[in-house]
Amino acid sequence: MLNKTPPAFGHDWDPDRARGIIEEFKDLEGPLLPILHALNERFGHISEPAVKLVAEILNLTRAEVHGVVSFYHDFRREPAGRHVIKVCRAEACQSMGCEDLVARLERALGIHISDTTHDRRITLEEVYCLGNCALSPAVMIDGELHGRATEEKVLVLVGGRS
Ligand code: FES
């Protein structure tokens, strides 16, 4: 099969590929963030083996790498669910009820924001402005923008409740 689209939740861990990514960015000034972004994009999260490899190659402690990974919300610590719902919580969406939407989705899915359902079907995340303010509240589902979001609409788009 040609041109297979990478899964939204990332490829399986591959230490050789990870090493290649790290080597590619390691000579940049301030290489840690670009490396973590590239690894997160490739594997869908920053696993413990990834932290270890980054620390080893950049000559940092694992605690230093962990510190950066946990500081930035962009990096996942574990694989995402099959569907990723990102709810915008920035100003325009706040004024159109995104907090109520978050609360409803948390209740419907039985998880909190930043968590994944126990069956690993859905991950619920927050973002701050999706550039879709005119159609707030805005969400992104599996990389696709949707405006005027409601609990019902979001749940239909991910195929029902968890
Ligand atoms: S504030 Fe939500 S899309 Fe801009």
Side-chain angles (χ1 to χ4, degrees):
M1 201 186 312
L2 294 173
N3 276 338
K4 196 171 169 239
T5 313
F9 41 86
H11 292 271
D12 288 341
W13 173 244
D14 173 348
D16 293 333
R17 182 80 179 102
R19 187 174 284 278
I21 290 171
I22 301 168
E23 297 286 345
E24 190 184 326
F25 292 103
K26 81 174 186 356
D27 295 324
L28 291 179
E29 201 173 314
L32 185 52
L33 280 177
I35 286 173
L36 292 176
H37 275 291
L39 292 174
N40 195 63
E41 189 165 312
R42 172 76 190 180
F43 300 110
H45 70 295
I46 306 289
S47 64
E48 197 49 44
V51 168
K52 191 166 173 251
L53 195 60
V54 170
E56 182 191 307
I57 296 176
L58 295 188
N59 202 20
L60 298 168
T61 66
R62 280 157 75 168
E64 285 169 317
V65 180
H66 272 299
V68 173
V69 171
S70 41
F71 183 78
Y72 291 96
H73 290 239
D74 287 355
F75 303 130
R76 291 201 186 94
R77 302 301 313 274
E78 52 178 45
R82 264 189 298 128
H83 299 291
V84 178
I85 303 170
K86 293 174 188 270
V87 184
C88 175
R89 293 181 111 171
E91 208 176 324
C93 288
Q94 270 184 27
S95 70
M96 293 301 285
C98 71
E99 290 309 316
D100 181 54
L101 176 61
V102 168
R104 284 167 176 271
L105 289 172
E106 285 182 329
R107 215 169 23 244
L109 299 171
I111 53 174
H112 291 294
I113 205 97
S114 304
D115 287 345
T116 297
T117 55
H118 62 87
D119 59 2
R120 307 217 62 83
R121 207 167 66 77
I122 296 171
T123 296
L124 185 62
E125 295 182 337
E126 61 187 4
V127 286
Y128 288 85
C129 198
L130 289 163
N132 200 26
C133 316
L135 293 177
S136 46
V139 297
M140 183 173 271
I141 299 176
D142 300 335
E144 261 187 38
L145 261 183
H146 300 272
R148 303 262 189 262
T150 61
E151 174 198 352
E152 292 71 24
K153 196 166 158 182
V154 170
L155 293 176
V156 165
L157 285 165
V158 292
R161 286 163 197 262
S162 183

